[in-house]
Amino acid sequence: MTDLRNTTDDERFFLHSGRRWRKTDPSLPEDVKARLMSHLGRGRSGVRNSAKGDDGAALPRARRTVQLAKEGLGERGTPWWEQSAAERTARWTAALQELDRMHPKKPGGPAGRATGDATEDG
């Protein structure tokens, strides 16, 4: 993994609606980034939907999901450019482990679905 301490502010931040936001850690492996982004999307959806019939636990759980995903992506917490390669790996690994415990995969989920390939019958 590369040393990211010498990245520039242009590589670290982006502007949106006049506000500066931290970019995602560029050293994230694509599969890790995809998993974290999936958790982030589910968390954000949960925050939006929690007002509808919230049992009192949905909103804090959804917010925790967003926080963990953002930390794993390097967008919150210690800046990714200040972390060693081992620290960055530990960061996203810990985030994914907790997120996967909070949101276990369901049987027959994406990994268990048919690929949509044509069969010989058809």
Side-chain angles (χ1 to χ4, degrees):
M1 216 180 280
T2 57
D3 180 1
L4 300 174
R5 287 177 291 184
N6 294 323
T7 57
T8 65
D9 273 0
D10 285 348
E11 295 167 307
R12 296 175 181 173
F13 301 99
F14 68 95
L15 288 176
H16 179 69
S17 299
R19 187 168 174 192
R20 191 169 83 156
W21 297 89
R22 193 185 308 171
K23 289 184 177 181
T24 298
D25 180 347
S27 69
L28 283 170
E30 285 302 315
D31 61 323
V32 169
K33 182 178 176 183
R35 288 175 58 203
L36 288 165
M37 293 298 289
S38 178
H39 281 291
L40 179 60
R42 284 194 303 270
R44 285 178 169 162
S45 177
V47 169
R48 271 192 313 275
N49 295 327
S50 66
K52 303 170 189 171
D54 186 1
D55 62 3
L59 183 58
R61 181 180 166 93
R63 285 185 174 157
R64 180 71 181 142
T65 298
V66 170
Q67 179 67 24
L68 283 168
K70 298 284 258 167
E71 287 173 5
L73 290 164
E75 297 175 11
R76 292 193 182 150
T78 303
W80 46 261
W81 57 89
E82 293 178 5
Q83 295 179 315
S84 68
E87 289 170 325
R88 291 192 314 271
T89 300
R91 181 199 69 232
W92 74 60
T93 300
L96 279 173
Q97 286 173 347
E98 188 168 345
L99 287 163
D100 288 344
R101 274 193 305 271
M102 289 174 66
H103 306 281
K105 289 184 181 178
K106 294 179 176 132
R113 288 189 187 141
T115 61
D117 293 340
T119 63
E120 292 181 7
D121 304 326

